[in-house]
Amino acid sequence: MGRRTRWLRLASGSFHIRRGYCAIRRGTARPARLVAMSKLQHCKDVDQAIVRLKDHYEASCELARATLAAGNFEDYRHVTYPKLMVDIREWRPIDRSEPFGYVDEAGRYSATISKPHIIEAYLREMLERLTGNYPCDIYVGASKVQIPPEYIADAGAIPERRGDIPRPTLDDVNDAIVDGDWRAFHGKEKPLFLFGAQRFDIACARIEHYTGIKVDSLQKYILFTNYDMHTGEFVRFGLGALADEASRYEALLLPNGESIHPNEAVDIDADSLGLSSRFQMPRFDLVTREGDGITMINIGVGPSNAKTITDCLAVLRPEAWIMIGHCAGLDGRMRIGDLILGNAYQREDHILDHRLGANSPIPAVPEVQRALEKAVESVYGEDNVLMRTGTVLSTDDRNWEWRTNRELWEWLRGSTAVAVDMESCTLAANGYRYRVPYGTLLSVSDLPLHAVPKLPAQAQAFYSNSKEAHVICAVRAMEALAANPQRLRTRKLRRTIGEVPFR
């Protein structure tokens, strides 16, 4: 276009384009690349599609900031999420071992994408798999969904409610695709991704709200606990790993905003760090360059918390999550400190009953199970610690044992449960829903049916003796999975019907 000037007339009025910018006569700058991508454009390859997704999103955010700063609110309607569309021209049989990137029929598949820079590697892998399996055409352009300013970093002052400024709406926040709603899969365009853009954005905002750290540094392998002592041990491990010159880890991020790097770690004593947090679910990120490090989150107590955080984390498509916690042992042969590797889940937490019927089995994920078994063997060696696999029963009643003997008999008869806790089944069930591999490694802290209830003195002694080994077992399992992520790429969590091409 050079020095020449051109006028375009769009639905919103006259636009003057010069030197790469589109300026509305009233003075708001609209990036030219946003104008160019207002319609879906064909992409020559996956790389171009990724660039265009990022360009459109960044240009929309730039326009939002300029529009809000200028007070030219009418033009905010051009601030839209990018849309990704894939036309699969022909269906054909593919390798039956493919874990994702496959479809049941040719057709048009689409998704509205937010923050593509955060999930760039994921999007690239998914598109490469899909285009490698079928003849495809990829298109990227503007969607019809506006970006609320609350979801844009550094958007500036947001005006009072106005009709021309979108607000975060829950109308578009749901899990219809995740849960296989008929209407979500029988429109003109089939879903490509599990989540819509506003569902993605509100989840990212809540992750930051609950955990104290922005989503950008969240790692692909996630450990859950409900004890500060476990996060303390994780920080201690992280400092040691950062001090090791051969380590793959690059930083440890704390929920108080502090970042610790390798050149600092050797001089820091974990006990000197203030790890207490004002956030509800403090998070600790042990970061690698590729994002395949380990995150630990103290989710607190109860199935509601477990559902809340996994509903949010799922949008970032982690590779796996594992619960490490304590449980009540039900078998009289058990001893305090024995380990339980959950291989079945008896759901009496009730938090997901309306999403996932109790008649839907929640299977163990063998790849996670094997990684945990090997980790326990490597940590404990010849020590006299019993690890057994068995059914974990999760309840929403913390004082479940305060029942009469007859009530307990009626509750447990027919059950093969060996342990009772409050979170494991929820984390497993939501992993199943969101197609995120999951696992559970619990330590027996009391035997309430066998005259060993959890009491303060006994509990504290147990915690002191078990916390380090318990955490290290889970960390080593995650490191083994991260060393070979393909072992988690299976079809075990994929649906018979109501499935999307992306993982």
Side-chain angles (χ1 to χ4, degrees):
M1 198 173 296
R3 298 175 180 271
R4 294 172 55 196
T5 297
R6 181 183 302 172
W7 290 94
L8 294 180
R9 182 167 297 278
L10 301 180
S12 57
S14 295
F15 291 79
H16 175 222
I17 300 181
R18 176 183 285 173
R19 294 179 185 176
Y21 284 91
C22 175
I24 300 175
R25 282 178 172 174
R26 293 178 297 275
T28 302
R30 184 182 180 204
R33 65 185 188 273
L34 192 57
V35 177
M37 295 184 66
S38 60
K39 293 184 178 180
L40 289 170
Q41 291 187 326
H42 184 265
C43 301
K44 64 180 181 181
D45 55 27
V46 171
D47 287 339
Q48 188 178 61
I50 297 295
V51 168
R52 286 182 174 172
L53 283 170
K54 293 165 63 178
D55 273 357
H56 182 99
Y57 181 79
E58 291 164 6
S60 281
C61 292
E62 289 173 15
L63 178 60
R65 297 182 190 106
T67 299
L68 293 172
N72 206 0
F73 305 131
E74 178 186 349
D75 304 314
Y76 197 97
R77 65 183 178 275
H78 302 297
V79 177
T80 60
Y81 292 105
K83 180 176 181 177
L84 172 64
M85 188 172 74
V86 179
D87 278 345
I88 299 178
R89 300 193 302 270
E90 175 189 350
W91 184 91
R92 62 190 183 196
I94 63 171
D95 183 346
R96 290 177 295 172
S97 65
E98 281 287 278
F100 29 78
Y102 60 86
V103 296
D104 291 330
E105 58 183 345
R108 176 163 291 180
Y109 296 78
S110 67
T112 304
I113 304 295
S114 182
K115 298 180 175 61
H117 59 287
I118 293 178
I119 55 172
E120 178 179 352
Y122 165 82
L123 291 171
R124 186 181 304 280
E125 181 186 9
M126 295 302 103
L127 286 172
E128 287 176 348
R129 282 182 177 267
L130 192 58
T131 57
N133 287 332
Y134 307 98
C136 298
D137 291 312
I138 307 176
Y139 300 86
V140 172
S143 72
K144 296 180 180 179
V145 185
Q146 291 180 281
I147 309 176
E150 288 86 349
Y151 294 144
I152 296 175
D154 304 317
I158 300 173
E160 295 292 329
R161 288 189 172 273
R162 299 175 52 96
D164 46 12
I165 299 293
R167 284 292 181 261
T169 172
L170 297 182
D171 293 344
D172 297 322
V173 175
N174 58 66
D175 280 341
I177 300 172
V178 170
D179 293 326
D181 181 83
W182 171 269
R183 289 163 295 184
F185 286 85
H186 291 83
K188 293 181 180 179
E189 298 176 5
K190 299 178 178 63
L192 187 65
F193 183 44
L194 289 170
F195 304 98
Q198 286 214 42
R199 170 69 169 83
F200 189 99
D201 272 346
I202 197 171
C204 290
R206 288 189 175 179
I207 290 171
E208 181 178 352
H209 168 73
Y210 286 119
T211 70
I213 306 178
K214 292 183 178 181
V215 297
D216 306 58
S217 64
L218 188 98
Q219 301 298 287
K220 297 177 184 177
Y221 298 86
I222 303 174
L223 296 176
F224 298 115
T225 182
N226 39 33
Y227 288 98
D228 287 340
M229 62 182 176
H230 285 158
T231 57
E233 289 301 324
F234 182 72
V235 168
R236 196 182 310 278
F237 168 82
L239 292 174
L242 289 174
D244 182 353
E245 293 182 357
S247 173
R248 67 193 185 101
Y249 299 110
E250 296 189 337
L252 176 64
L253 277 60
L254 308 179
N256 62 7
E258 187 175 355
S259 298
I260 302 172
H261 297 87
N263 60 333
E264 305 162 329
V266 68
D267 298 320
I268 296 177
D269 180 2
D271 293 332
S272 68
L273 293 172
L275 300 182
S276 60
S277 173
R278 63 184 178 86
F279 296 98
Q280 185 175 344
M281 301 184 191
R283 177 175 126 220
F284 303 80
D285 293 338
L286 190 53
V287 177
T288 68
R289 183 182 302 275
E290 302 300 326
D292 59 351
I294 304 173
T295 284
M296 177 177 275
I297 305 176
N298 182 347
I299 63 173
V301 175
S304 182
N305 281 4
K307 179 181 183 296
T308 295
I309 195 62
T310 48
D311 281 346
C312 299
L313 295 169
V315 303
L316 297 171
R317 310 315 297 142
E319 295 282 5
W321 59 48
I322 292 175
M323 176 68 190
I324 58 170
H326 295 156
C327 64
L330 297 182
D331 189 331
R333 296 167 294 177
M334 291 179 174
R335 297 293 180 267
I336 302 300
D338 285 354
L339 296 175
I340 304 296
L341 178 58
N343 70 347
Y345 298 91
Q346 185 175 336
R347 294 166 48 209
E348 298 203 15
D349 47 6
H350 306 300
I351 196 72
L352 283 166
D353 289 358
H354 66 299
R355 296 287 188 186
L356 191 65
N359 61 336
S360 296
I362 308 299
V365 180
E367 294 77 11
V368 177
Q369 300 292 97
R370 286 193 287 268
L372 285 168
E373 287 177 349
K374 291 181 179 179
V376 171
E377 291 174 3
S378 69
V379 171
Y380 283 95
E382 300 299 322
D383 289 350
N384 187 26
V385 174
L386 174 67
M387 185 190 76
R388 62 179 292 179
T389 58
T391 299
V392 176
L393 187 162
S394 289
T395 174
D396 53 4
D397 178 8
R398 173 58 192 88
N399 297 319
W400 60 268
E401 66 268 47
W402 296 4
R403 310 184 189 193
T404 67
N405 290 340
R406 181 169 181 173
E407 287 173 328
L408 288 169
W409 178 277
E410 294 297 330
W411 186 51
L412 293 172
R413 69 188 178 98
S415 173
T416 60
V418 297
V420 178
D421 80 342
M422 299 188 70
E423 300 84 20
S424 292
C425 290
T426 308
L427 296 169
N430 243 8
Y432 176 86
R433 282 183 68 223
Y434 292 123
R435 292 75 155 169
V436 176
Y438 47 85
T440 300
L441 184 66
L442 303 176
S443 184
V444 175
S445 61
D446 56 310
L447 298 159
L449 303 188
H450 306 284
V452 188
K454 184 178 288 187
L455 296 173
Q458 168 260 328
Q460 291 305 318
F462 158 68
Y463 296 160
S464 177
N465 293 332
S466 68
K467 58 184 180 180
E468 179 181 2
H470 196 176
V471 169
I472 296 302
C473 286
V475 167
R476 288 194 180 176
M478 285 304 205
E479 289 185 321
L481 292 170
N484 183 13
Q486 293 303 318
R487 74 176 71 182
L488 289 169
R489 308 295 175 81
T490 73
R491 295 188 56 173
K492 293 181 178 66
L493 300 180
R494 304 280 287 178
R495 303 298 183 266
T496 303
I497 57 174
E499 191 54 89
V500 298
F502 284 9
R503 174 175 68 85

